[in-house]
């Protein structure tokens, strides 16, 4: 069993690692950076690699026995390690490459502490596994989700494994959605932290096996600790057979979104008749 002191120490490591990555991302912003092609239109930049290296330096110094799964460097450390950190050093690479500052640095201990750093606002959203807070200007405040904004961030980046049963783009034009919510597309998992902070009512994305994803682990951990509702597009717990994510500030918002998602799937079934 992990005691509360160990959890607190892990959150300190997560915050320090996320900040180290954020420092690199911020320092290299606006420079002409080498692009590393990943295929299918995806790429990394030299900033992604440098930020990940800085994050790994922090984790290795503090937790040398732990394994790491990095977006750029893959799996590192002992294969039988009991603990693994999930690292996405620059979520929103395309935004960053074209001069947009909507990006996040994600660091999460699987099943434990996590931190999401915004390199340009200076905010760090974090959890020790039980409580969710934001650190801003040296002070910590509890994260309090709320659906008051009615803003829902929808990820439109491929792949789309749930199509044709569910297409995120169809959600944006559905009358039940537009009657209740206003869509936003920022193309970074910083939006997940924004749900925990009350800046977004919800976040919706398609995708496979997101429980194991370096992109989503930190944000979903922060959201869960803040009390958000986190499920797959099927409404089932993340980590099972379901795809995608629906993360909502409260149960009512989640139920409203799930009703629209189910309606889209029912409509697709009628098309096939």
């Amino acid at each position: 069993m992990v005691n509360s002191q160990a959890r607190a120490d892990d959150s300190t490591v997560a915050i320090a690692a996320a900040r180290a990555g954020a420092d690199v991302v911020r320092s290299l912003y606006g420079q002409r950076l080498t692009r590393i092609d990943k295929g299918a239109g995806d790429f990394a930049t030299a900033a992604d690699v440098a930020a990940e290296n800085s994050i790994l330096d922090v984790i290795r110094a503090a937790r040398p026995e732990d394994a790491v799964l990095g977006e750029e460097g893959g799996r590192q450390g002992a294969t039988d390690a009991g603990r693994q950190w999930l690292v996405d050093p620059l979520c929103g690479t395309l935004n960053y490459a074209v001069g947009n500052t909507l990006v996040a640095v994600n660091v999460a201990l699987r099943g434990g502490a996590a931190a999401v750093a915004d390199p340009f606002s200076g905010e760090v959203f974090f959890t020790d596994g039980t409580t969710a807070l934001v650190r801003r200007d040296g002070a910590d405040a509890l994260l309090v989700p709320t659906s008051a904004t009615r803003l829902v961030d929808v990820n439109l980046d491929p792949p789309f494994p749930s199509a044709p049963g569910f297409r995120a783009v169809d959600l944006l034009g559905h009358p039940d959605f537009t009657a209740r919510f206003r869509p936003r597309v920022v193309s970074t998992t910083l939006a997940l932290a924004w749900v925990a902070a009350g800046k977004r009512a919800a976040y919706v994305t398609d995708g496979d096996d997101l429980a194991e994803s370096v992109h989503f682990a930190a944000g979903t951990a922060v959201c869960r600790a803040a009390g958000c509702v986190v499920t797959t597009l099927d409404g089932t717990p993340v980590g099972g057979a379901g795809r995608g994510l629906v993360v909502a500030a409260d149960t009512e918002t989640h139920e409203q979104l799930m009703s629209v998602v189910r309606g889209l799937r029912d409509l697709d079934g009628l098309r096939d008749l």
Side-chain angles (χ1 to χ4, degrees), residues 16-106:
R19 276 183 157 171
D23 287 345
V24 173
V25 169
R26 189 171 53 255
S27 69
L28 294 178
Y29 177 73
Q31 298 184 26
R32 291 181 61 87
L33 299 171
T34 301
R35 294 193 181 192
I36 304 159
D37 183 29
K38 294 183 176 182
D42 192 17
F43 64 91
T45 71
D48 297 69
V49 176
E52 183 166 305
N53 287 338
S54 291
I55 292 167
L56 295 184
D57 286 345
V58 173
I59 294 174
R60 285 169 180 155
R63 299 289 187 268
E65 303 301 319
D66 291 359
V68 176
L69 174 60
E71 166 71 3
E72 309 309 331
R75 296 182 184 274
Q76 301 180 46
T79 56
D80 60 349
R83 294 161 37 109
Q84 184 182 55
W85 294 83
L86 305 174
V87 174
D88 181 2
L90 178 48
C91 186
T93 298
L94 181 54
N95 286 351
Y96 184 78
V98 299
N100 187 314
T101 60
L102 289 173
V103 300
V105 176
N106 297 317

Side-chain angles (χ1 to χ4, degrees), residues 1 19 30 54 56 63 68 82 105 114 126 129 162-163 174 180 184 211 214 220 236 249:
M1 179 178 293
R19 276 183 157 171
S54 291
L56 295 184
R63 299 289 187 268
V68 176
V105 176
F126 67 96
S162 298
H174 194 285
R180 299 166 177 165
R184 292 294 183 273
V214 297
T220 54
T236 57

Side-chain angles (χ1 to χ4, degrees), residues 199-220:
K199 298 180 181 183
R200 291 288 189 271
Y203 176 87
V204 180
T205 185
D206 199 355
D208 282 324
D209 195 19
L210 298 188
E212 305 296 316
S213 171
V214 297
H215 304 293
F216 296 94
T220 54

Side-chain angles (χ1 to χ4, degrees), residues 223-248:
C223 285
R224 284 195 181 99
C228 300
V229 182
V230 181
T231 72
T232 68
L233 288 166
D234 294 327
T236 57
V238 176
R243 294 187 173 117
L245 279 174
V246 178
V247 179

Side-chain angles (χ1 to χ4, degrees), residues 87-223:
V87 174
D88 181 2
L90 178 48
C91 186
T93 298
L94 181 54
N95 286 351
Y96 184 78
V98 299
N100 187 314
T101 60
L102 289 173
V103 300
V105 176
N106 297 317
V107 178
L109 175 64
R110 190 185 298 277
V116 178
D118 180 339
F120 298 97
S121 75
E123 294 174 312
V124 182
F125 308 88
F126 67 96
T127 178
D128 60 2
T130 57
T131 304
L133 303 102
V134 58
R135 182 165 296 175
R136 185 188 300 111
D137 298 327
D140 294 346
L142 280 173
L143 290 173
V144 181
T146 173
S147 60
T149 67
R150 311 311 293 168
L151 301 178
V152 175
D153 213 285
V154 181
N155 181 17
L156 300 181
D157 291 336
F160 309 116
S162 298
F166 172 80
R167 301 178 183 87
V169 68
D170 293 337
L171 183 68
L172 304 182
H174 194 285
D176 288 344
F177 181 89
T178 57
R180 299 166 177 165
F181 304 109
R182 290 295 177 266
R184 292 294 183 273
V185 180
V186 300
S187 298
T188 170
T189 53
L190 181 61
L192 272 171
W194 287 352
V195 178
K199 298 180 181 183
R200 291 288 189 271
Y203 176 87
V204 180
T205 185
D206 199 355
D208 282 324
D209 195 19
L210 298 188
E212 305 296 316
S213 171
V214 297
H215 304 293
F216 296 94
T220 54
V222 170
C223 285

